Amino acid sequence: MLNRTKSTLPSILTWRQFNSRKIRAGFATTSVERDPSSRDPFGPNTKVLESFKEEFEIGSKLITLETGKIARFANGAVVLGMEDTKVLSTVASSKGDAIKDFLPLTVDYQEKHFAQGVIPNTYMRREGAPKERELLCGRLIDRPIRPLFPVGFYHEVQVTSSVLSSDGKQDPDVMAANATSAALMLSDIPWGGPIGVIRIGRICGQFIVNPSMDELSLSDLNLVYACTRDKTLMIDVQAREITEKDLEAAFRLAHPEAIKYLDPQIRLAAKAGKQKKEYKLSMVSEQTMEKVRNLAKEPIQAIFSDPSYGKFERGEALEKIGQDVKQVLEEECDEEGLKGLSKTVDTVRKEVVRRRILAEGIRLDGRQLDEVRPLFCEAGYLPVLHGSALFSRGDTQVLCTITLGAPGEAQRLESLVGPPTKRFMLHYSFPPFCINEVGKRGGLNRREVGHGTLAEKALLGVLPPEDDFPYTVRINSEVMASDGSTSMATVCGGSMALMDAGIPLKEHVAGLSVGLVSEVDTITGEMKDYRILTDILGLEDHLGDMDFKIAGTRNGITAIQLDIKPAGIPLDIICECLEPALKGRLQILDHMEREINEPRAQHGRYSPRLVTLKYSNDVLRHLIGPLGVLKRKIEEETGARMSVSDGTLTVIAKNQQVMEKVQEKIDFIVGREIEVGGIYKGIVTSIKEYGAFVEFNGGQQGLLHISELSHEPVLRVSDVVSVGQQLSLTCIGQDVRGNIKLSLKATLPMPRSHEDDLVTESATPVLNASEPVVDDTSNSTPVEDRQEKQTSSKTNSLSTSAAFLIRSASECDEKEKDVVQDHGDLKNKEATSVAPISAKNLKLGMIVTAKVHQIRARGLVLDLGGGIRGMYRFEDDNEREFEVGEMLQVKCSSFSSKGVPVMTLAED
C-alpha cells in the first residue's frame, strides 16, 4: 500500500456558506459587497468558485500557471500561459484495482484550429485523426513523466493537453509538458514530480532560453531538456553539426533554467492540490521473488554466459526457463507466483545481466563495453530507384530508398506553428516480420513516427539549401531485421542512399545508441556504480537504464534523443556518454565512406530530371486548363509531375526520355518564343496550291511553302504532305505581315548531288535559348539539371531578323509557278554573285570572302566589305591561329540581337 498525503493542501474548490437556498456559481477570487435591493443576480447569497494563479519569469518571458477556472472536474487541470499562447493540461486516473502488469499511461496532445481563429479545411470542417506533430508532442510529454510513477502503480492514467489559443510566436509543446507536470502535482495520483522542461536555442554562438519560432528559424540548435531538481529525465536535440563541447555547455545552461518551473508548481499545489490517494500497488512478495530467483537464476546465467546464442535462440532458451519455473509453481499450487511469473522471471534476468556487466564488464554477445557490432554497407542495392542503400549493424538491418519529386509534392503541414510545408520526409516502417512476429499494419504508429522524425532531424542538417536543391525528397526506411537501434541504422542507411541518389550532402551522417547499467543505493537513491555501453542490443535496451541515441557527422552532432527508465540520471553521466558515442560514430563513418564517399553522377536511364520554366500567368492558366484537366492529362500520359507557382512551371521526370516527351507536349500547348532556326513540331491543317498551313507551337499558324517541302522540285503539295500529318519543321523567317514561314527541307539531309552547293539557302539550326535543355554531362548531380531563367536578349529571335530577305505570302501566290522553274537558277545566281555586300543582300548561308579586322579574346571581327562588319566566335576546341589582314572564306550562320552577322568558316 502506498499512502502519500498532504494534510496542509486545501481542496481545489472553496465554497462560502450562505443562508439562501438558491445557488449560482460564478468565478471570482474575492467576495464583493453588493446592494441587496439591486437586481444583480450575483448578490450576497451567491456561491463563488475560486481560482489560483502563479506568475514567474523565465528567459524574459512571463509565464502563468492557473487552476480552478476551467475543467474543474478533472483530477488535475492547469492552464499555462506564455504571452498570448495558452495550453490546458488535464489528468485523470481509473478507479478500482489495477488489473494489468504495466503502467497504461496515455498522453494525447491536440492542436485544434480554433486556437488561431481558423476553420479546418476538411470536408466535414472538423479535425481528423491525430497529425504527426500531435503524436510527436504527445511523446515529448510522455517520456519525462513516465519514469516518475511509483513501481507497481498500474492504474490507467490519461493526460490530455489542448492548445486553447496560439499567437504563433511560441511552440506549445514545452508549455504542454510543464502544464502536465503541474496538473499531476494537483491531482491525487501518486507521482514523483514536479519536473521542468525548457527549450534552448543558439544564434551566432549565443544561447537563447525559450526562443520564439522566428528565433528558432535562425538557430543552429533546438534543445528540449527535462529534469527534476538534481537529475536529467529527457533530452531531445536537433542541430546543425554542433560540437560535443558546445552541446555540453547547452545542457549545463538548460538544467538551472528548467528547475525554475519547479517552485511555482509546488506553491500552486500547496494552495489548490488534492491529497494523494491511496492506491494498491501490484507488488510481488519477497518470498515469491526469492523462490523464482532460486529456480531461474542459474539457467539464466548459463544462457547469458554463452555469446554464441543469437537473438532468437537466446529468446527461445529463456522462454523454456520460464515454462520450467511455471511447471514447478503449478505443482506447488503457488497462485501468487503464477500470477506474476512473467514479471519475476524478467526481474531475475535483469539482475543477472546487470550484475555481470557491472562486475565483469562483459556484455551479452561477448563484446567489450565500447565495441561496435560488425558492420555491412551497400549503396545502390536497388538500381532501378533514384537511390537506395542497405545497412546492417550486427543483426539489425535497414533498407533505405530515395524518391525525388517536384517542389509541389512537398508535404502540407497544418500545425499552429512552424512552416506550412515540408520538402524532406523520412518515413520509418517497422513491419512485424522484422522480429519474427505476426501482426497487422495499421495507421500512424507513435513509435514509427517518433523514430522516423529522429532520423529525419539527423539528416536535415546536411541537406543542401532549397535554392541549390529544389527537389522534394522522400526517404522510406524499411526495417528488415531488428535487434536494437533501428532508428540510428536508418540514419546511416539514409545518408548513403541520399549520396547514391546524387544529392550533394555536406557530410555523411551516422548514429548509434549508448546505454547505461547502474547500481543505486536503495536507501539514499544515489548511484553507487555504473557502466556505459556503446551500440546496445535490443535486450540491453530493455534490461538497462538508458537509451541515448546520438547522430552526427565528423564535425558535430545533428540529433539526439534520450529516454530513461529510472527516475532521473545525473547530468555528469549524460555528458560523459558523448565521448564514447563520438568514437563509435567515427568507426561507422569510416565504413560508410569506404562504400560511398561522394554523390554519384547520375547519367543512367533511371536518374530523374527536373527543369524550371518561366511563363506568364496567362500562359500557365492555359497550360493547366479548366480545373487542371490539361495538366493531369500530360501527367497521366507521360508519368511526369508538374507543379505551378507564380510565373514558374517545374517539371520532374523519371528520366531524360520522359522529360523530352513532356516538353514536347508543353511546347505544343503553350508554345515558346519563335526563333529563326528553331525546330518545331506541328500538324498540317490545310493544303493550298502554293503550300500548306501548319499549326504548331501552342496553336500558332505557319506557312510551309511548296518551295520548302523538299530539296527537289515539287509539283503538288499533296504529293509530300497530307492534312493531319505531324512534321518537324524549321522556322526560316517571317514576312512583313507577321506570317511565320516554315521549312521542311531544312530538316532533311542534303542530297549527294548538292554537296558542293553550299551557298544555297542553308537553314542552319540555331540553339534556342528559350528551349528547356537538360545537360547529362556537365554536372555530376541531377540537381543541376534545371533550365536557366529565360532572358529577353535572344540571338536569333524574330524581332531582330530584319536583315533577312523573305518573300511575303502574296508574292508567293503570284510567283508559285515561277518558283519551281527558277529554283535552281536562283541558287546558282546567289552562289556566283559578286555584287557588293550590304545589309539588304546578305542572307543566311551566303559564303563570302572576309578579311580579319581584329583578333579578340573570344573571336574575330571580320571586314565583309561595303562597310559591313561581322563576327566569328572561337569554338571550344579551336586550335587555329589567325592574323590581322588574313583573308577567310566564311558563311553567314545567324545574326545577333543588334543585327551583326555571325559567321562560320566555310571549310568547316
Side-chain angles (χ1 to χ4, degrees):
M1 301 292 289
L2 178 68
N3 183 11
R4 296 187 180 181
T5 61
K6 293 185 179 181
S7 59
T8 59
L9 298 182
S11 173
I12 189 171
L13 303 179
T14 303
W15 298 91
R16 294 187 176 87
Q17 301 298 325
F18 298 96
N19 295 326
S20 174
R21 296 178 61 186
K22 295 182 179 180
I23 299 175
R24 288 183 64 88
F27 297 112
T29 55
T30 58
S31 59
V32 180
E33 297 289 340
R34 297 186 184 272
D35 186 359
S37 63
S38 68
R39 294 187 178 182
D40 188 352
F42 295 96
N45 297 333
T46 304
K47 279 190 174 182
V48 178
L49 184 64
E50 290 187 339
S51 64
F52 303 89
K53 181 184 290 188
E54 287 291 328
E55 293 185 349
F56 54 101
E57 188 173 322
I58 299 179
S60 73
K61 300 287 194 312
L62 181 64
I63 301 171
T64 61
L65 292 172
E66 186 177 20
T67 187
K69 268 193 178 180
I70 60 176
R72 59 192 181 92
F73 285 160
N75 203 328
V78 170
V79 175
L80 188 147
M82 185 184 298
E83 295 182 347
D84 291 331
T85 300
K86 292 183 180 296
V87 178
L88 168 67
S89 282
T90 62
V91 296
S93 180
S94 62
K95 310 299 187 293
D97 295 336
I99 58 174
K100 300 180 180 180
D101 60 351
F102 64 94
L103 173 62
L105 172 63
T106 304
V107 179
D108 295 318
Y109 173 88
Q110 299 174 339
E111 287 184 350
K112 295 193 174 181
H113 288 72
F114 73 80
Q116 283 190 334
V118 177
I119 296 176
N121 192 28
T122 59
Y123 178 76
M124 298 297 293
R125 296 298 185 265
R126 298 171 65 94
E127 287 81 7
K131 299 182 286 291
E132 283 190 16
R133 172 177 163 80
E134 292 176 320
L135 297 179
L136 294 171
C137 291
R139 283 171 55 89
L140 193 74
I141 300 169
D142 180 293
R143 286 155 53 196
I145 66 174
R146 184 180 291 271
L148 298 181
F149 286 94
V151 177
F153 178 77
Y154 297 148
H155 293 260
E156 186 173 4
V157 177
Q158 184 175 33
V159 174
T160 303
S161 293
S162 304
V163 182
L164 301 181
S165 66
S166 174
D167 58 7
K169 297 179 181 179
Q170 302 294 329
D171 195 326
D173 56 355
V174 170
M175 299 172 59
N178 286 292
T180 299
S181 173
L184 285 168
M185 290 294 294
L186 292 173
S187 71
D188 61 12
I189 302 171
W191 188 64
I195 67 170
V197 186
I198 197 75
R199 173 174 268 111
I200 302 293
R202 189 178 73 162
I203 301 177
C204 299
Q206 298 296 320
F207 291 114
I208 302 173
V209 179
N210 278 338
S212 64
M213 294 303 299
D214 291 338
E215 290 172 330
L216 274 180
S217 64
L218 303 174
S219 174
D220 62 355
L221 172 67
N222 185 354
L223 163 65
V224 178
Y225 182 90
C227 64
T228 60
R229 196 171 297 275
D230 55 355
K231 292 184 179 180
T232 302
L233 287 167
M234 186 271 297
I235 295 175
D236 193 277
V237 172
Q238 180 180 358
R240 298 175 190 168
E241 298 182 283
I242 186 172
T243 64
E244 281 76 7
K245 182 179 179 181
D246 291 343
L247 190 61
E248 181 177 349
F251 293 163
R252 302 290 184 187
L253 171 65
H255 192 92
E257 293 292 334
I259 63 177
K260 293 180 181 178
Y261 281 98
L262 305 185
D263 290 335
Q265 296 181 47
I266 294 173
R267 292 195 298 267
L268 188 66
K271 296 177 184 177
K274 296 179 180 178
Q275 293 183 354
K276 293 299 179 181
K277 199 173 183 179
E278 292 186 357
Y279 285 92
K280 182 179 180 180
L281 301 182
S282 300
M283 304 291 288
V284 179
S285 66
E286 185 58 35
Q287 181 180 359
T288 301
M289 188 69 234
E290 188 63 27
K291 181 188 294 185
V292 174
R293 186 180 289 113
N294 292 333
L295 292 172
K297 183 176 179 179
E298 290 187 2
I300 290 175
Q301 282 181 336
I303 293 174
F304 287 142
S305 299
D306 188 354
S308 63
Y309 276 102
K311 174 179 179 178
F312 293 105
E313 293 80 4
R314 187 185 298 114
E316 292 174 359
L318 293 173
E319 180 67 22
K320 186 177 184 304
I321 292 174
Q323 294 298 326
D324 294 340
V325 174
K326 180 180 179 181
Q327 184 177 356
V328 173
L329 296 178
E330 286 177 342
E331 293 174 356
E332 298 179 358
C333 298
D334 189 343
E335 295 184 1
E336 181 184 359
L338 291 171
K339 185 178 180 180
L341 178 62
S342 61
K343 279 288 181 184
T344 53
V345 172
D346 188 66
T347 301
V348 175
R349 285 191 298 177
K350 184 177 295 186
E351 291 174 351
V352 171
V353 172
R354 295 167 69 90
R355 187 174 295 111
R356 190 162 179 260
I357 291 175
L358 287 170
E360 304 174 22
I362 300 177
R363 301 168 65 173
L364 297 178
D365 54 357
R367 282 183 294 151
Q368 299 299 315
L369 298 181
D370 59 350
E371 186 177 350
V372 178
R373 288 174 286 175
L375 299 169
F376 171 79
C377 308
E378 181 179 354
Y381 177 69
L382 303 173
V384 176
L385 306 184
H386 295 166
S388 63
L390 189 65
F391 180 84
S392 298
R393 181 169 53 216
D395 290 333
T396 295
Q397 186 182 62
V398 171
L399 173 64
C400 290
T401 59
I402 305 294
T403 306
L404 303 180
E409 296 180 282
Q411 181 182 0
R412 298 185 182 275
L413 305 176
E414 296 182 354
S415 58
L416 298 180
V417 295
T421 58
K422 183 171 69 171
R423 70 183 183 100
F424 178 65
M425 301 162 284
L426 194 151
H427 297 155
Y428 167 98
S429 299
F430 192 88
F433 68 78
C434 72
I435 51 174
N436 196 26
E437 289 186 357
V438 177
K440 291 183 178 180
R441 301 294 297 164
L444 285 179
N445 180 283
R446 288 177 181 259
R447 180 182 179 277
E448 291 182 339
V449 171
H451 281 47
T453 301
L454 174 62
E456 183 181 295
K457 290 178 180 178
L459 295 170
L460 193 61
V462 297
L463 282 182
E466 187 171 1
D467 292 341
D468 300 333
F469 181 72
Y471 286 92
T472 294
V473 183
R474 179 182 186 240
I475 300 182
N476 193 78
S477 172
E478 293 285 338
V479 179
M480 298 289 109
S482 173
D483 192 15
S485 300
T486 53
S487 62
M488 295 295 96
T490 295
V491 173
C492 303
S495 181
M496 291 194 302
L498 287 171
M499 281 202 177
D500 182 58
I503 299 174
L505 300 186
K506 297 177 182 178
E507 295 279 346
H508 257 317
V509 184
L512 78 167
S513 187
V514 176
L516 179 73
V517 173
S518 62
E519 183 179 359
V520 179
D521 192 318
T522 56
I523 299 176
T524 63
E526 296 296 326
M527 192 174 292
K528 297 190 299 183
D529 195 10
Y530 65 90
R531 295 289 185 273
I532 296 173
L533 312 178
T534 301
D535 185 23
I536 58 175
L537 297 170
L539 190 58
E540 290 174 334
D541 179 12
H542 173 68
L543 302 178
D545 297 331
M546 178 180 74
D547 184 9
F548 194 8
K549 300 182 179 72
I550 305 174
T553 67
R554 291 186 180 276
N555 301 324
I557 292 172
T558 57
I560 280 180
Q561 180 176 293
L562 170 65
D563 294 322
I564 65 171
K565 296 179 180 66
I569 294 175
L571 181 56
D572 291 339
I573 297 178
I574 300 296
C575 295
E576 186 180 343
C577 294
L578 297 177
E579 182 63 26
L582 173 60
K583 293 180 180 179
R585 187 167 79 243
L586 294 178
Q587 295 180 37
I588 299 170
L589 287 170
D590 288 339
H591 281 77
M592 294 168 59
E593 290 171 355
R594 282 197 291 269
E595 173 64 19
I596 179 171
N597 60 0
E598 62 182 9
R600 294 196 194 279
Q602 293 293 337
H603 302 311
R605 58 192 179 115
Y606 298 113
S607 59
R609 293 290 182 268
L610 183 146
V611 297
T612 302
L613 307 174
K614 298 293 183 181
Y615 293 108
S616 67
N617 289 331
D618 290 337
V619 172
L620 290 177
R621 280 192 289 269
H622 176 57
L623 173 63
I624 295 172
L627 301 177
V629 173
L630 291 178
K631 174 177 173 290
R632 287 197 300 272
K633 183 179 179 181
I634 294 175
E635 291 178 337
E636 290 172 359
E637 291 177 352
T638 63
R641 298 291 181 90
M642 302 165 58
S643 62
V644 178
S645 59
D646 188 17
T648 301
L649 171 67
T650 303
V651 182
I652 184 167
K654 295 181 180 179
N655 50 51
Q656 179 62 25
Q657 183 179 0
V658 174
M659 177 61 72
E660 292 173 356
K661 188 176 180 181
V662 175
Q663 289 175 345
E664 282 184 16
K665 292 183 176 295
I666 293 174
D667 289 343
F668 189 80
I669 294 174
V670 303
R672 60 181 190 264
E673 185 176 348
I674 304 299
E675 296 183 357
V676 174
I679 299 177
Y680 305 89
K681 288 190 176 181
I683 296 177
V684 179
T685 57
S686 64
I687 294 178
K688 305 295 182 182
E689 293 181 358
Y690 52 83
F693 286 97
V694 179
E695 181 180 346
F696 74 109
N697 202 47
Q700 292 179 290
Q701 290 285 338
L703 174 63
L704 176 58
H705 196 266
I706 190 172
S707 63
E708 297 295 335
L709 287 173
S710 174
H711 293 290
E712 304 296 336
V714 176
L715 296 179
R716 289 193 302 270
V717 177
S718 58
D719 292 341
V720 180
V721 297
S722 59
V723 175
Q725 183 178 356
Q726 185 173 351
L727 303 171
S728 292
L729 304 170
T730 299
C731 175
I732 59 173
Q734 175 182 32
D735 62 22
V736 293
R737 298 179 181 86
N739 299 321
I740 300 170
K741 303 196 69 178
L742 303 173
S743 175
L744 177 61
K745 70 179 182 181
T747 63
L748 301 176
M750 182 78 70
R752 290 188 177 182
S753 60
H754 294 178
E755 285 181 355
D756 298 329
D757 193 10
L758 298 177
V759 79
T760 58
E761 298 167 329
S762 171
T764 305
V766 181
L767 180 62
N768 184 352
S770 67
E771 183 177 357
V773 177
V774 180
D775 187 0
D776 281 348
T777 60
S778 61
N779 294 293
S780 61
T781 68
V783 178
E784 307 283 337
D785 295 333
R786 298 187 298 151
Q787 176 64 25
E788 297 289 340
K789 182 184 292 187
Q790 296 180 354
T791 60
S792 59
S793 59
K794 302 296 181 180
T795 302
N796 292 305
S797 65
L798 292 177
S799 61
T800 60
S801 59
F804 293 95
L805 183 61
I806 301 172
R807 293 195 182 105
S808 66
S810 60
E811 292 172 335
C812 290
D813 294 339
E814 294 173 0
K815 298 184 179 181
E816 65 180 28
K817 296 181 180 180
D818 298 333
V819 167
V820 176
Q821 299 174 0
D822 300 338
H823 189 57
D825 296 338
L826 180 62
K827 292 180 182 178
N828 295 331
K829 182 179 180 181
E830 292 172 352
T832 58
S833 175
V834 293
I837 298 298
S838 67
K840 293 184 179 180
N841 60 17
L842 182 63
K843 297 186 296 182
L844 281 176
M846 180 173 286
I847 298 177
V848 298
T849 301
K851 181 169 64 175
V852 178
H853 181 69
Q854 288 182 353
I855 300 177
R856 298 186 178 179
R858 298 185 180 179
L860 306 177
V861 177
L862 303 175
D863 185 359
L864 305 179
I868 304 299
R869 292 286 190 270
M871 61 181 176
Y872 167 76
R873 296 190 182 94
F874 291 148
E875 301 293 338
D876 293 338
D877 56 349
N878 182 72
E879 297 181 355
R880 177 172 176 178
E881 296 183 357
F882 298 92
E883 296 180 359
V884 175
E886 182 180 354
M887 303 301 292
L888 302 173
Q889 288 288 324
V890 294
K891 180 172 62 176
C892 181
S893 63
S894 63
F895 289 82
S896 72
S897 60
K898 296 182 179 181
V900 177
V902 179
M903 316 301 289
T904 59
L905 295 178
E907 52 265 32
D908 290 343

